[in-house]
Amino acid sequence: ILYESTWKWDFGDGNIATYAYNNQHIPLIHHTYNSPGVYSVSLTATMKNPVDNSVVTTNTVTKDVEVYLTPEVPAVTGHFNNCDDPEKEYVIDNYNSSYN
C-alpha cells in the first residue's frame, strides 16, 4: 500500500502551508518573515491509508528559529586612478562602474 501524506507547516507567525505528498516528489518549502525575532516553527506529517482514508500516523516536530534583519550593504563609491595611465580614472558606485 502506498500511503498518502500531508505536511502542514506552521511558521509561527500566523502563516500556515499544507502540502500533499503522493510518493512522487517532496515539495520545496519557502517562507519569508516580515520581522526579525524568534519563531516556533512546526511540521506535522500525517499519513493516511488511501483505501479507507483512515489516519495511520501523525508526527509533529517543533523547533525555534531565530530570524535576523537582512544586512544593508554600505555604499561603495570612489574615484581610483589607473596606475598604467594616470590620466584615466575608474569610477565605482553601488550599481555602476565606468572607466574614463
Side-chain angles (χ1 to χ4, degrees), residues 22-98:
N22 59 3
N23 298 310
Q24 299 296 319
H25 69 281
I26 298 173
L28 296 176
I29 309 303
H30 300 277
H31 181 69
T32 302
Y33 289 91
N34 293 323
S35 303
V38 177
Y39 297 90
S40 182
V41 178
S42 64
L43 169 62
T44 300
T46 302
M47 293 180 67
K48 292 184 178 182
N49 184 330
V51 175
D52 62 4
N53 208 31
S54 62
V55 173
V56 176
T57 186
T58 298
N59 291 309
T60 300
V61 176
T62 302
K63 177 104 175 147
D64 286 341
V65 175
E66 188 165 1
V67 176
Y68 299 93
L69 285 174
T70 302
E72 292 186 27
V73 177
V76 177
T77 59
H79 295 268
F80 304 94
N81 288 332
N82 181 341
C83 294
D84 294 331
D85 185 354
E87 298 295 318
K88 300 212 178 235
E89 68 176 7
Y90 193 66
V91 179
I92 299 173
D93 66 30
N94 271 2
Y95 305 102
N96 303 297
S97 62
S98 64

